[in-house]
Every structure is written in C-alpha cells, then in structure tokens.
Amino acid sequence: MKNRSRNSRSRPGRRGNAPRRDPMVGKEVDVRIADIGARGDGLAETAAIDGKSLLVYVDNVLPGDEVRVKLRQKRGDGYGAEVISVKARPTPHADAKCPHYDQCGGCSLQHLPDADYRDWKRQRAVQAVMRAGISDRGEAENLVGGLETSPPASRRRADFSVISTQDGVFVGFAERFSHHIINVSGCAVLLPDIVEFRNHCQSFLESLPRETAAIVKSIVINAADNGLDVVIGASADPDLDLRQGLAELADYADLARMAWKTGDNPAEPLAQRRTPEIHFADIAVPVPAGGFLQATRQGEEALTRAITNALSHIPARQVIDLFCGIGSFTFPLALQGDRRRVLAVEGDANAVKALQYAVGRASAPIEVSRRDLFRQPLDGDDLKSADVVLFDPPRAGALAQCEILADFGPEWILAVSCNPATFARDIRLLRNGGYELQKVVPVDQFLWSPHLEMFAVLRRTLPEAA
C-alpha cells in the first residue's frame, strides 16, 4: 500500500462532506404573482420548510397570474422558478416580438402589454427618485417626466458571446439565469445590419476547423455612422489563414473596420476600409475599436434634447463634462445654443485620444483631460470655475465625485445615469449637500429589458438671507 503524505495543517479525522441538498429546490408550489420586480420577473410568495415566507421570482408572468411553479435555484432572499402550468391569467399577455424570447436573457418584458410596459419603466424612475430621499410619491411623480422610448430594431451595439462545441458554433447571448449561450439568428432590438453580420460570422466560424473556431470567445459590434466596427475577442492570435479569411469576410460585409483582441491586449486592426465615425452636433468623431456608444441613436438624441433644454434656462459659460467618453454630450454642450467653454474629463486613453483629435479638427472651445474619476475625482479647486457640471458615469455611478460635488459643486448639476440604483445613491448624496432635484427624464434605450437611463437637473439651494 502506498504511503500518502498528510497535510500537516489538516485536522485529524476530519472528512470532507458533500454539500447538503436544498430541500426547496425542485419543490412545486402554487403562487399568485403580486408584482413585477426590478429585474423584470414576477414576484410571489410561498412558505419555506419552517413556515416562514419566501420570495419566488418567476419569468414571463404578469401581476394577478396564478401559476404552478417549480423552484429551480436560490436567488438572493428567495428562489428562481419556472412555470409548470397556468391556473388563471386575468390579463392577456402580449405576443413575444422575438423567436428567442423564451430563452434569451437579453429581454424579459416582451410579454407586457405596451401601456403596462411603459408605465412599469416610468415607475422605475419614480422609485429611484423616492430612494433618493423624496418620500412623497406625489412629489416624485411630479418630478418624473414622460418616458422617452427607442423603437425596435434600433440598438447599435451588440456584445455576442461565442462558444464552439461538438454540437456546433454558438454566437449569441446567455440564456436567462444561465451561462449557456443560445444562437440568436434574429433579434427584435438590434439594428438589422448587426444581426445580418452576426449570421455571417456564425457561418464563417462553422466553416473553420473546430480548434481554430474555438479560440474566438466574443464578437463586439458597434454601428458607426459609416459602417460596422467589429472587435473579435479571442484566447490566441490568429494564424495567417484565419487573418486572410477574416479580411475577406470584412470585405464581403463592407465593414468599416475589423479588429482582433487577444486577452487583455490592445485590439489589432485586421481590415479597415474607412475610419469608423460617429457625429455629435455635426462633428465627426473617430470611434475607438470597441468604444462606448449610447445604446441607440434615438436615446442619445433624447438625452441631448434634455440637456440642451435644461441649459436654455441656465446662464452658463463654463461647463465641466465628467465621464465624457468620446464626446456624446461634449460637443452639444459646447456648440448647441449659446457657445460655452467645456472641460471634458475621461479616464479611457483611447476615448481621450479620439476626442482630442475631433476637437482639434473642429476647433471647438473644448479642453480634454484624461483622469480616472473613480480614483482621482475633481476637487474643490478644479470645480470652482464651473457654472455647470454634467456627469454620465458607468453603471457603478459617481460616488467619489458626488461626495465632492455635494460640498464644492457649482450652482447647477446635470446628471445622466444608466443604473437607477446608483442614480438614487448619487442623487441622495447631492440632495444631502444642499441640491434640489428639479426634473427627471427617463429614457428607455434598452427596450423590453429592466435597464433604464435617467437624466436629472439639480440646483444648489441658496441659504436664506438673515
């Protein structure tokens, strides 16, 4: 018998035990759907083994539905569940707009009738305002304007996951609450050109040896104003044959540019017929490979209108644009309406380079600064010359910057957010620092999903004279 060395730090006699099976998983229960939750799923309650109440999250249901469900997995303070049978459905469901709706995790609300969907989205904004410290629902309702909604087939960015298996090549999105990738050969929210190229990509990858196709892990597509900009994410560099094949694919599809990105390395252009460009206030700005764009042109226009409408009532000459990206709002701030000087601040080096190039070509009154606003937010000295600050951070919000703005910010702040939760947190901070929330515009760029963009106008409340 072989001698096996024992870990000297292990406890003698201790054996590893298999994890206990959750007795609730697999259980079937009858529930009545009470509401639609923040993730777009139905909320219901059932009893745990000890009799305590448990939340149940159910897909593709409406308030009032009575259904029998099977509990599938633990989810936070409750359980995700799938519908086994429908006992009662007092409100008719809307027809799904996409053949992949039952599986795809991208959309969760296509079954809501249109009026109910729009009301649910707007109420997300109302709830965010209330979480920001305005407890009176009537006041919150009055602050939130009508919902601006992008139409179907208007999303201009897609981030497809790719996996190659013995069963074939899958180019698409993760199944709801799963890591399994489903092929999305049609999509009700994406621009048709993006869907068409995705289908070309799948056919191309299926023509390759499996070991070659397997190195491709993602395909990111941006629709610039002059063509598609594609970045292929991979685990290894392409060989000569793959480079040639991809160049021919890019030529066939008339792409503006195709780039290859291995791991965390910078994207390397494989084929470029023209520099991808996007226009802001009629200024052409080059788009970095895989760069950030507002999700839809219509959503970007709605946010820009809200910003310029707010500025029409503010006598501002010096504006600071934080988390400015490649200038979605920078050029409208500087060039639309009264001409203003703008300090544009962004942490991403490629975005800064693209914006500086466009500013120089347009001779616009804009100064561009590269700065990581999460680690090094603008301080009181940096802010003292500004009449208005606009910020549009990623989903994580602008916590560090808002803490300083609350103390040293200018009279006016314009806030854009793609996350109602961090919006509520940041606005609460500003309100605690003396700002009054004057207006909120909800913008739906993510049709049939629970995501929501929000724009807010805040003004510092001046202390009353003694």
Side-chain angles (χ1 to χ4, degrees):
M1 179 177 177
K2 292 183 179 180
N3 293 322
R4 288 189 172 89
S5 59
R6 182 183 294 275
N7 184 344
S8 61
R9 299 179 64 184
S10 67
R11 295 170 62 181
R14 183 160 182 162
R15 299 176 62 184
N17 295 318
R20 291 183 180 178
R21 182 181 179 279
D22 188 332
M24 296 297 292
V25 173
K27 184 177 180 180
E28 293 187 12
V29 295
D30 294 327
V31 297
R32 184 179 187 277
I33 306 302
D35 203 354
I36 302 294
R39 295 171 67 175
D41 38 22
L43 302 181
E45 289 188 356
T46 191
I49 300 297
D50 59 5
K52 293 182 179 178
S53 180
L54 279 177
L55 274 175
V56 180
Y57 303 92
V58 188
D59 289 336
N60 301 339
V61 290
L62 295 180
D65 285 358
E66 296 178 18
V67 291
R68 186 167 184 82
V69 301
K70 177 183 280 189
L71 306 185
R72 299 305 300 264
Q73 71 279 329
K74 193 82 171 68
R75 271 187 55 192
D77 52 356
Y79 288 82
E82 67 172 339
V83 175
I84 302 300
S85 62
V86 177
K87 297 183 174 296
R89 183 167 282 172
T91 303
H93 289 209
D95 293 333
K97 286 79 177 172
C98 175
H100 306 291
Y101 177 58
D102 288 341
Q103 290 181 290
C104 181
C107 298
S108 58
L109 294 162
Q110 289 186 9
H111 63 290
L112 264 68
D114 185 61
D116 294 340
Y117 168 78
R118 292 179 61 84
D119 181 65
W120 184 85
K121 270 285 174 87
R122 185 178 177 277
Q123 287 305 312
R124 287 216 71 197
V126 173
Q127 292 161 7
V129 169
M130 294 181 71
R131 288 197 297 270
I134 296 176
S135 57
D136 182 85
R137 175 169 285 275
E139 182 181 356
E141 288 274 4
N142 290 333
L143 285 170
V144 178
L147 181 71
E148 298 270 3
T149 302
S150 296
S154 63
R155 187 87 60 83
R156 61 183 178 185
R157 177 183 172 90
D159 192 342
F160 294 110
S161 296
V162 181
I163 186 168
S164 298
T165 71
Q166 291 181 341
D167 298 324
V169 177
F170 296 83
V171 181
F173 303 127
E175 193 172 5
R176 198 166 298 161
F177 307 121
S178 167
H179 297 297
H180 180 255
I181 304 303
I182 62 169
N183 274 321
V184 181
S185 56
C187 180
V189 297
L190 290 173
L191 287 167
D193 286 353
I194 292 179
V195 177
E196 182 180 6
F197 182 72
R198 175 255 165 232
N199 294 338
H200 290 323
C201 279
Q202 182 179 2
S203 297
F204 173 77
L205 292 172
E206 288 175 338
S207 72
L208 300 175
R210 202 178 85 188
E211 62 272 15
T212 302
I215 68 175
V216 176
K217 303 300 181 184
S218 66
I219 300 172
V220 177
I221 307 175
N222 271 333
D225 289 345
N226 57 346
L228 298 184
D229 181 28
V230 177
V231 178
I232 298 175
S235 59
D237 293 336
D239 60 22
L240 211 55
D241 288 341
L242 182 53
R243 285 175 181 270
Q244 179 63 33
L246 288 169
E248 291 173 359
L249 175 63
D251 184 64
Y252 171 79
D254 191 28
L255 299 184
R257 177 175 62 201
M258 177 185 283
W260 184 276
K261 189 176 189 301
T262 303
D264 295 328
N265 296 325
E268 171 199 355
L270 294 179
Q272 182 165 324
R273 298 168 70 88
R274 49 199 172 271
T275 300
E277 291 182 336
I278 205 83
H279 288 76
F280 307 123
D282 296 326
I283 303 298
V285 182
V287 180
F292 172 80
L293 300 177
Q294 292 292 333
T296 68
R297 169 65 71 182
Q298 294 86 348
E300 179 182 280
E301 290 172 349
L303 289 167
T304 301
R305 278 196 306 273
I307 291 167
T308 53
N309 287 342
L311 285 172
S312 67
H313 304 291
I314 301 172
R317 289 292 175 266
Q318 182 69 42
V319 181
I320 298 178
D321 182 8
L322 304 178
F323 307 95
C324 66
I326 61 172
S328 302
F329 308 127
T330 308
F331 288 101
L333 284 170
L335 303 177
Q336 290 185 354
D338 295 336
R339 199 171 176 88
R340 308 172 188 89
R341 295 203 59 81
V342 177
L343 170 63
V345 186
E346 170 58 44
D348 182 79
N350 291 327
V352 168
K353 183 178 179 181
L355 182 53
Q356 286 174 328
Y357 174 81
V359 167
R361 192 165 61 173
S363 299
I366 298 168
E367 176 188 352
V368 184
S369 174
R370 184 185 176 193
R371 185 162 174 163
D372 185 340
L373 292 167
F374 293 107
R375 297 183 179 181
Q376 190 185 6
L378 269 61
D379 60 23
D381 287 340
D382 300 317
L383 295 165
K384 63 185 180 183
S385 63
D387 302 310
V388 178
V389 166
L390 168 73
F391 63 82
D392 179 18
R395 290 186 60 80
L399 176 60
Q401 188 62 74
C402 284
E403 288 176 337
I404 296 175
L405 285 169
D407 291 329
F408 302 107
E411 181 180 357
W412 294 92
I413 291 178
L414 307 179
V416 180
S417 172
C418 60
N419 184 346
T422 54
F423 169 89
R425 180 202 65 200
D426 293 347
I427 299 302
R428 179 184 283 270
L429 267 175
L430 295 172
R431 292 186 69 249
N432 290 343
Y435 282 91
E436 176 189 4
L437 183 60
Q438 295 198 336
K439 182 180 182 180
V440 174
V441 178
V443 178
D444 184 13
Q445 298 196 75
F446 306 97
L447 194 61
W448 300 313
S449 85
H451 300 299
L452 181 68
E453 202 99 6
M454 297 173 68
F455 168 75
V457 180
L458 300 102
R459 185 179 189 182
R460 188 179 289 281
T461 307
L462 299 176
E464 295 182 5

